[in-house]
Amino acid sequence: MPHLPPFFSKVDELQGKFIERLSEAVAIPSISSEDARRPDVVKMGEWLAEQIRALGGEVELRQLGKQPGHEHLDLPPVLLGRYGSDPKKKTVLVYGHYDVQPAQTSDGWATDPFKLSIDDKDRMFGRGSTDDKGPVLGWLNAIEAHQKAGVDIPVNLLMCFEGMEENGSEGLDELIEAEAKSFFKDADVVCISDNYWLGTEKPCLTYGVRGCNYYSVEISGPGQDLHSGVYGGVTHEPMTDLVRIMNSLVDPDGKILIQGIDDLVAPLTDEEAALYPPIAFTMDDLHQSLGNQVSIYNDKNDALKHKMRYPSLSLHGIEGAFYTPGAKTVIPAKVIGKFSIRTVPNMEIDDVTKLVQKHVEQEFAKLKSKNNMKFNIVHVGKWWVEDPNHPNYTGAAKAVERVFGVKPDMTREGGSIPVTLTFQAQLQKNVLLLPMGSSTDAAHSINEKLDKKNYIEGTKLLGAYLHYVAGELS
Amino acid sequence: MPHLPPFFSKVDELQGKFIERLSEAVAIPSISSEDARRPDVVKMGEWLAEQIRALGGEVELRQLGKQPGHEHLDLPPVLLGRYGSDPKKKTVLVYGHYDVQPAQTSDGWATDPFKLSIDDKDRMFGRGSTDDKGPVLGWLNAIEAHQKAGVDIPVNLLMCFEGMEENGSEGLDELIEAEAKSFFKDADVVCISDNYWLGTEKPCLTYGVRGCNYYSVEISGPGQDLHSGVYGGVTHEPMTDLVRIMNSLVDPDGKILIQGIDDLVAPLTDEEAALYPPIAFTMDDLHQSLGNQVSIYNDKNDALKHKMRYPSLSLHGIEGAFYTPGAKTVIPAKVIGKFSIRTVPNMEIDDVTKLVQKHVEQEFAKLKSKNNMKFNIVHVGKWWVEDPNHPNYTGAAKAVERVFGVKPDMTREGGSIPVTLTFQAQLQKNVLLLPMGSSTDAAHSINEKLDKKNYIEGTKLLGAYLHYVAGELS
């Protein structure tokens, strides 16, 4: 890869400009979940389009119409971009988002969240710095450095940058479906840079994400909330019934107690088991993330497997019961317990739901309560797993090794990233998650940051990936 | 009792005036729990003092100083009144309160809560009508009707009317203790009219109230709330642990599962058992109160005993978990489960606490969780049971029979009324609960009302009680 050294040098040379580009982007408070900020989201999309056009790319800001359920608001446009259209080259589709989570200084930020602030450790603080403006601009920076270094980009690039990722990605699935055989038809592989390294030192490639089946159980009985002094002891109490049902779902060691769930989980192969020991992750890392030594497992590999490739069940809370500080002697009339199961191959959504519903109904029947029980599916989302031996991954792995001098960790994520699944399903192409930021970036939290090193070396990584994946695909 | 017919006639004759008196009282929004309404509470106390003085009574509005924890607010005064001081007469101490629960039309009231509105069924709607302005004014009405009928009141009356009952009765216990051997020293019996008939047709005398031991169990572990997708399956989850502990406390049939609790409960004697069958109460009444057929027991006597003389345990809710509508994939870092036990003779507060704490600690130890558990006593209040064969009760029973033509139900209440206990403990005198309102009055709720019949016949009852108790005591 003789073209890479001049590209890398140019990235280093241009880093001041790239940071200035990020600084301009962070200054636009493109919060998609706040009505009043919608014009800023649109402004951010337009700014991004202008940047790409200035680099010679073609851009369409695709309007998606009104926001469902909020018809006074237009959805922000999806940016559909193209850089290069050489039929002899392979085509890489990259995805990112230009909207951000809410942020106010009063939430506890040490600096103005919409002013990029660099501290003496070269940490660049600002809302959207790592999620996901930094990675999106990484692609633009890579294009610019190639141009200025006089190095040809060996693939065509398709870009899909949305402005509603932090607010349910409204309209995106429909767009991808509609454009699968049109705008997206040339894509050979998909690359998404919108997640994080497992730690702070070693890059990773992410080849899987757990799904999420979210359920609720509603128990009702009394016609209204009752005084526990007056009616305690004579009425079937919905809370008592609900706690019994919630208690039956999972044990304190995280074991799911619903019959049949374990049988759905794909057995661990030797090949997959071999992926965990090399991962740069320690029990100390886990305890630091948890904020305390409350891990169920004492062995790093066990912990990783339960984070990535085994299901889990969490009890989130109860709606309708007393929840404020202090004391209230109430018998709540209707309570709704919320829980979800993180799913993994080969747990099909409906198979899981069937087992859960059967279990809940059996447990409720055991109570012989006169209350009523209603089982609800709140939302479901499938797991996603990709073949980590595909050229999309082997190319990315080589790029990591070239830029960082280490083999990447091969990871799966705990949380769901629905667009991954949509691209895989609609385009039938291999999808890679190639993160730029590290585990300490505090996306969605106060003091979100991106380390300068991650941004600059990350720009090199994205550029190098295009070269290696072109090589692997040819 | 030859003096009663002219008194009764005078009450009937003056009913327009008595309703006007209640109307004036309801118009003063004496909400003790709202800072902004504190001047109205004071105004209500002064209005009441003026009414008593106009009838020839002596009144002191005793100032109690600043409200603890709310030092910008003066506590409303306690009205200490006296009517008659004949050393040859017995002395009856009556208690009531002149403050009310919050109320706003927007809560769902059909009428202005602070304008007494009488409908075509002679129901008098208004905040405080039944709780407790109507009963308090019943004593004043009884004095006035005696005066105008030219009938001597055969006892001396001491009055203790407070303005903080709906806000923790701040300062009252200390006042009663301080005045036990002073202002209250002549009291021979105590009568409190601040509860309700069991149904709508038959008056009752209430000789017992369950106590309340309120506890919380706090489970904490992770340093902050965690994403269930990322950390579900690798961390001990506080919710899972807490649900286990809550599940171990009570079964769906209301049976308390804490070892040793049942042994503390006084056995049912034949004499006490005989009190339940005559009580005017049906399973239909219970189902109507519950708003649904969710009673644990199918037999009226079983239901009454579990409402009145057996303990119960209610799970009230969880602080710190997800509680709003919708879905949140959170692993709460710290959750606090709230529950309380309604206590009955002979469950001593500390004995119960010891058993509960031991149980909770044992159950938590069984979980082998790395989380932390903290057991807390939120508040405790003792049960109260009085001798229903005391002259205070036999006198009141005769008064009920005279006014209503039926023997009263002898009941115990589910909810606690702390002042009852204080009077009993400090004055060492028999305390009677003699309610005026009925079970349908909706105290503390929207559309609170007092039936005109309950108000007028109730005034007769309070007056007749003074005659019969004088007879029984002499």
Side-chain angles (χ1 to χ4, degrees), chain B residues 59-211:
Chain B
V59 181
E60 180 195 356
L61 286 170
R62 176 70 63 89
Q63 302 300 329
L64 300 180
K66 300 289 177 192
Q67 182 173 336
H70 298 74
E71 276 70 19
H72 60 291
L73 282 179
D74 285 319
L75 285 167
V78 170
L79 188 156
L80 296 175
R82 170 183 286 277
Y83 186 80
S85 52
D86 184 339
K88 292 189 296 291
K89 290 179 179 173
K90 298 288 182 183
T91 298
V92 175
L93 166 62
V94 303
Y95 162 92
H97 63 91
Y98 63 81
D99 62 320
V100 298
Q101 281 278 315
Q104 305 190 67
T105 307
S106 60
D107 294 340
W109 283 73
T111 59
D112 180 344
F114 296 106
K115 187 175 178 310
L116 194 72
S117 308
I118 307 176
D119 74 359
D120 54 8
K121 288 176 179 159
D122 277 346
R123 296 181 297 187
M124 307 190 293
F125 291 92
R127 176 56 90 218
S129 54
T130 195
D131 184 18
D132 185 37
K133 290 179 175 178
V136 164
L137 297 187
W139 296 111
L140 276 59
N141 298 342
I143 293 173
E144 184 173 357
H146 274 90
Q147 291 176 344
K148 295 200 168 153
V151 176
D152 182 52
I153 296 182
V155 296
N156 302 313
L157 272 177
L158 291 179
M159 290 165 256
C160 176
F161 298 142
E162 66 156 326
M164 278 291 275
E165 200 272 347
E166 304 294 6
N167 195 5
S169 291
E170 291 275 6
L172 184 67
D173 280 357
E174 295 76 3
L175 172 74
I176 295 171
E177 194 179 341
E179 295 292 336
K181 299 208 157 38
S182 175
F183 180 79
F184 296 124
K185 74 173 190 304
D186 296 332
D188 293 294
V189 292
V190 182
C191 180
I192 297 176
S193 189
D194 186 24
N195 65 317
Y196 308 93
W197 300 354
L198 210 50
T200 57
E201 294 303 321
K202 199 171 160 199
C204 67
L205 305 183
T206 303
Y207 66 99
V209 164
R210 294 198 290 185

Side-chain angles (χ1 to χ4, degrees), chain A residues 246-399:
Chain A
M246 291 177 86
N247 186 70
S248 75
L249 297 170
V250 61
D251 81 8
D253 286 337
K255 186 174 162 45
I256 298 175
L257 303 175
I258 297 163
Q259 213 181 354
I261 289 283
D262 283 348
D263 303 336
L264 302 177
V265 178
L268 183 73
T269 62
D270 291 346
E271 190 184 18
E272 191 204 328
L275 292 173
Y276 297 97
I279 293 179
F281 185 79
T282 66
M283 289 308 293
D284 277 352
D285 291 338
L286 179 60
H287 291 150
Q288 209 171 343
S289 307
L290 299 178
N292 201 352
Q293 302 199 3
V294 287
S295 56
I296 294 172
Y297 304 96
N298 297 318
D299 173 73
K300 162 205 149 181
N301 294 314
D302 288 338
L304 283 175
K305 283 174 208 158
H306 282 272
K307 224 168 115 60
M308 297 178 178
R309 66 101 56 220
Y310 286 116
S312 63
L313 189 154
S314 294
L315 306 174
H316 305 299
I318 297 174
E319 178 186 339
F322 176 58
Y323 64 87
T324 58
K328 188 176 176 188
T329 52
V330 66
I331 298 173
K334 184 170 96 173
V335 288
I336 306 173
K338 317 271 180 93
F339 66 97
S340 67
I341 298 179
R342 293 288 159 170
T343 58
V344 295
N346 300 313
M347 300 166 73
E348 295 300 325
I349 286 174
D350 292 345
D351 293 345
V352 171
T353 296
K354 252 180 240 159
L355 291 173
V356 174
Q357 179 158 7
K358 185 176 160 198
H359 173 90
V360 167
E361 283 168 355
Q362 282 176 345
E363 290 296 317
F364 182 69
K366 277 189 207 165
L367 306 185
K368 300 190 191 307
S369 168
K370 292 177 184 166
N371 290 322
N372 297 308
M373 190 279 288
K374 232 168 84 184
F375 173 80
N376 296 300
I377 302 167
V378 179
H379 61 66
V380 294
K382 207 184 164 181
W383 45 265
W384 161 79
V385 174
E386 200 53 271
D387 171 15
N389 298 312
H390 186 278
N392 199 17
Y393 281 82
T394 54
K398 286 180 183 174

Side-chain angles (χ1 to χ4, degrees), chain A residues 77-120:
Chain A
V78 170
L79 187 156
L80 296 174
R82 171 183 286 277
Y83 186 81
S85 51
D86 184 339
K88 293 190 294 292
K89 290 179 180 171
K90 298 288 182 183
T91 297
V92 175
L93 166 61
V94 303
Y95 161 90
H97 63 91
Y98 61 80
D99 63 321
V100 298
Q101 282 278 316
Q104 305 191 65
T105 308
S106 61
D107 295 339
W109 283 73
T111 59
D112 180 344
F114 296 106
K115 185 175 179 310
L116 195 73
S117 308
I118 308 176
D119 73 359
D120 53 8

Side-chain angles (χ1 to χ4, degrees), chain B residues 209-212 343-348 381-385 421:
Chain B
V209 164
R210 294 198 290 185
C212 182
T343 59
V344 297
N346 300 314
M347 300 166 75
E348 294 300 325
K382 207 183 162 182
W383 45 266
W384 161 78
V385 174
L421 215 66

